[in-house]
């Protein structure tokens, strides 16, 4: 399969995305149906998916390992709360401080740096000997995973064809749910094979070898050509694009990127405060506010649903020995796996529909579905017996399905698409950070709210939050389905040229 390069093309040049989106022709001259993925593009996708896998793996394994950690370090409820929130707090800080650095240092460098940080703190976590060191290590892991939120998305969206970008980014994002399932499953297996207090160390140790492989592999991918152009490195961008499209028979000599992009992108400097002014304010609100609102529900329900279900099924036994504690941990893992399975189903449906229905409609529909699911669960407080169990179970399962069909997946996707290249890392990083404020607040505040105002009031509060998320999404909508990312912010660049 070849791509014909016309002589007029070499004169006028093309954008990075135009080369990536170019549809090749067969030897007889007939055009292909779609733009193929090169082997390098598939490698980048796999490495980004691995990062999302580690996030789900580490965060959800914490639920299985926490009882063992609490027993080994003799900690109380407050310390447990810090352990639960440490990784999320690290994600909050890392998504902005480290993810935003990709606009300055480059997508590839931060893509590598985050895995090195992840590995360093993972080794320290496995070997830690005190509660304080444990919290620091979990926070450090969270910082690395937080950096991955904007960086992995950008390195995907800036290197993939426009027509399949949504499916491919969500496909990588789906590995977060797969990682969660594996974290829960491996945690349970380790407990069965090694029923001891230090089993939590072996749980986290299982991620060590795969993380080393992923770290090394990331050294061999090209830098984002879009980012190189934004830094004025036109020749390096052409070389990077040639490496990216390595099976299309395009050489550096054949690639002629538009040089004027460099001048217009460098003509106007931006700062963090620019995100809240025109022309970026609309994108900032769309990327950050709905993500914050969905994290309130996703982490609140995600953390406490397994406990509720275990109790509802009558598996909540008192702990009189280490064996009782391990048995309860295994049951909790089983309940977590059951609810998490709907997250995977939801993301699979999202992948199938995102390019046909669009990001905005799926996000609005998902928010409304989350509200319905939580409302159904709240009705269980007025019943008892089998009816109560059915309402709790069906409501939370519907919530998990709809959140990954809509807001949980689409907020991640939109945050990496609605900003121009020069501020994409900063904008996506801020959105992820703002969202994780909701996650951390929920982790700390959910137990207090449950005790203070009751389960019904909390669930109806989350219903309102979901509906507000749908309204904000629609009011500030920017549809990016099938849109050439080079065109994002083009009007703004022209105004400052």
């Amino acid at each position: 399969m070849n791509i014909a390069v016309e002589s007029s093309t070499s004169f006028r040049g093309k954008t990075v995305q135009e080369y990536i989106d170019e549809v090749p022709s067969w030897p007889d001259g007939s055009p292909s149906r779609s733009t193929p993925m090169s082997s390098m593009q598939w490698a980048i996708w796999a490495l980004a998916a691995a990062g999302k896998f580690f996030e789900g793996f580490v965060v959800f394994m914490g639920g299985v390992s926490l009882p063992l950690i609490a027993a080994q370090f003799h900690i109380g409820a407050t310390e447990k709360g810090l352990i639960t929130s440490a990784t999320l707090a690290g994600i909050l800080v890392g998504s902005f401080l480290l993810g935003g650095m990709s606009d300055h240092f480059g997508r590839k460098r931060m893509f590598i740096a985050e895995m090195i940080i992840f590995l360093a703190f993972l080794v320290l976590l496995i070997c830690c000997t005190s509660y304080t060191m444990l919290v620091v290590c979990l926070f450090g892991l969270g910082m690395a995973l937080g950096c991955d939120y904007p960086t992995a998305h950008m390195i995907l969206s800036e290197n993939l064809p426009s027509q399949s970008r949504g499916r491919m980014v969500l496909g990588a994002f789906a590995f977060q749910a797969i990682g969660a399932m594996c974290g829960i499953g491996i945690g349970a297996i380790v407990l069965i094979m090694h029923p001891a207090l230090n089993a939590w160390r072996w749980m986290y140790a299982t991620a060590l070898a795969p993380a080393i492989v992923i770290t090394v592999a990331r050294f061999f991918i090209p830098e984002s050509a879009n980012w190189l152009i934004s830094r004025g490195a036109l020749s390096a961008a052409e070389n990077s694009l040639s490496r990216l499209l390595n099976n299309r028979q395009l050489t550096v000599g054949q690639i002629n990127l538009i040089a004027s992009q460099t001048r217009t992108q460098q003509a106007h400097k931006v700062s963090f405060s620019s995100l809240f002014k025109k022309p970026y304010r609309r994108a900032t609100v769309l990327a950050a506010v709905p993500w914050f609102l969905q994290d309130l529900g996703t982490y609140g329900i995600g953390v406490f649903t397994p406990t509720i279900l275990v109790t509802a099924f009558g598996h909540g036994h008192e702990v009189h020995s280490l064996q009782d504690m391990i048995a309860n941990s295994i049951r909790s893992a089983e309940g977590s796996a059951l609810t998490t399975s709907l997250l995977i189903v939801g993301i699979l449906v999202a992948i199938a529909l995102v390019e046909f229905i669009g990001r905005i409609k799926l996000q609005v529909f998902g928010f409304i579905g989350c509200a319905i699911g939580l409302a159904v669960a709240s009705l269980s407080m007025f019943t008892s017996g089998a009816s109560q169990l059915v309402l709790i179970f069906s409501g939370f399962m519907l919530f998990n399905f709809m959140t990954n069909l809509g807001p949980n997946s689409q907020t991640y996707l939109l945050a990496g698409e609605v900003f121009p290249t020069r501020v994409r890392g900063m904008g996506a990083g801020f959105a992820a950070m703002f969202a994780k404020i909701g996650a951390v607040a929920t982790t700390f505040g959910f137990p207090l709210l449950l005790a203070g105002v009751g389960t019904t009031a909390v669930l109806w509060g989350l219903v309102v939050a979901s509906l507000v998320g749908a309204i904000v999404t629609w009011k500030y909508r920017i549809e990016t389905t099938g849109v050439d990312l080079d065109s994002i912010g083009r009007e703004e660049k022209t105004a400052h040229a």
Side-chain angles (χ1 to χ4, degrees), residues 20-105:
I20 293 174
D21 290 343
E22 194 163 18
V23 178
S25 59
W26 296 100
D28 63 0
S30 60
S32 173
R33 279 186 164 184
S34 60
T35 304
M37 291 272 288
S38 71
S39 58
M40 182 60 75
Q41 286 172 312
W42 278 113
I44 290 172
W45 180 87
L47 293 173
K52 304 315 296 178
F53 176 89
F54 287 128
E55 181 195 346
F57 189 87
V58 168
V59 171
F60 278 75
M61 183 175 280
V64 182
S65 63
L66 182 60
L68 303 176
I69 292 172
Q72 185 167 53
F73 292 103
H74 308 289
I75 59 177
T78 302
E79 290 82 2
K80 285 182 182 180
L82 286 174
I83 289 177
T84 304
S85 303
T87 303
L88 294 176
I91 291 175
L92 186 156
V93 175
S95 59
F96 183 70
L97 291 185
L98 298 181
M101 289 183 182
S102 61
D103 286 336
H104 179 73
F105 294 106

Side-chain angles (χ1 to χ4, degrees), residues 332-401:
S332 177
E334 292 171 348
S336 298
L338 186 62
T339 57
T340 304
S341 64
L342 265 292
L343 295 175
I344 296 177
V345 176
I347 193 67
L348 291 176
V349 177
I351 292 170
L353 298 179
V354 66
E355 302 295 358
F356 300 100
I357 295 179
R359 283 78 156 142
I360 298 298
K361 290 181 180 178
L362 276 181
Q363 184 159 304
V364 170
F365 179 69
F367 266 127
I368 294 172
C370 288
I372 294 172
L374 293 171
V376 169
S378 71
L379 296 177
S380 66
M381 302 301 114
F382 304 101
T383 61
S384 61
S387 297
Q388 184 181 44
L389 181 61
V390 169
L391 288 171
I392 292 175
F393 192 85
S394 58
F396 285 160
M397 295 294 269
L398 176 61
F399 173 85
N400 281 337
F401 172 77

Side-chain angles (χ1 to χ4, degrees), residues 170-423:
L170 290 185
F173 182 73
F175 276 79
Q176 181 189 60
I178 295 173
M181 289 287 289
C182 289
I184 294 167
I186 289 177
I189 292 172
V190 170
L191 278 173
I192 293 170
M193 297 180 65
H194 184 63
L197 281 181
N198 68 345
W200 65 270
R201 299 182 189 273
W202 291 102
M203 294 179 193
Y204 288 105
T206 58
L208 197 56
I212 292 173
V213 173
I214 297 302
T215 303
V216 173
R218 289 187 176 187
F219 278 90
F220 297 94
I221 64 171
E223 179 57 271
S224 164
N226 267 311
W227 180 81
L228 289 168
I229 284 181
S230 74
R231 307 299 292 181
L234 185 63
S235 177
E238 291 176 340
N239 183 68
S240 179
L241 186 58
S242 178
R243 287 188 61 201
L244 178 71
L245 306 177
N246 57 3
N247 66 349
R248 296 206 200 163
Q249 300 180 1
L250 281 174
T251 65
V252 175
Q254 291 175 302
I255 294 176
N256 182 22
L257 294 172
I258 296 176
S260 60
Q261 272 191 313
T262 304
R263 293 193 296 271
T264 56
Q265 287 192 333
Q266 288 182 316
H268 179 58
K269 300 296 184 181
V270 294
S271 63
F272 172 68
S273 62
S274 299
L275 293 176
F276 309 97
K277 302 174 183 178
K278 288 186 177 182
Y280 304 124
R281 186 187 300 129
R282 186 183 188 90
T284 301
V285 173
L286 175 64
V289 175
W291 199 348
F292 169 85
L293 292 170
Q294 79 87 20
D295 266 13
L296 288 177
T298 297
Y299 282 90
I301 300 301
V303 169
F304 294 100
T305 294
T307 302
I308 294 172
L309 289 177
V310 166
T311 302
F313 278 116
H315 288 159
H317 301 301
E318 294 184 9
V319 176
H320 299 290
S321 65
L322 175 62
Q323 287 73 24
D324 290 340
M325 182 183 64
I326 291 174
N328 274 354
S329 295
I330 293 173
R331 293 185 187 107
S332 177
E334 292 171 348
S336 298
L338 186 62
T339 57
T340 304
S341 64
L342 265 292
L343 295 175
I344 296 177
V345 176
I347 193 67
L348 291 176
V349 177
I351 292 170
L353 298 179
V354 66
E355 302 295 358
F356 300 100
I357 295 179
R359 283 78 156 142
I360 298 298
K361 290 181 180 178
L362 276 181
Q363 184 159 304
V364 170
F365 179 69
F367 266 127
I368 294 172
C370 288
I372 294 172
L374 293 171
V376 169
S378 71
L379 296 177
S380 66
M381 302 301 114
F382 304 101
T383 61
S384 61
S387 297
Q388 184 181 44
L389 181 61
V390 169
L391 288 171
I392 292 175
F393 192 85
S394 58
F396 285 160
M397 295 294 269
L398 176 61
F399 173 85
N400 281 337
F401 172 77
M402 296 303 294
T403 193
N404 251 19
L405 170 67
N408 194 38
S409 58
Q410 304 307 318
T411 50
Y412 174 74
L413 182 55
L414 284 165
E417 294 183 338
V418 295
F419 295 99
T421 302
R422 101 164 56 78
V423 296

Side-chain angles (χ1 to χ4, degrees), residues 448-459:
L448 297 176
L449 288 173
L450 287 174
V453 301
T455 302
T456 303
V458 170
L459 290 176

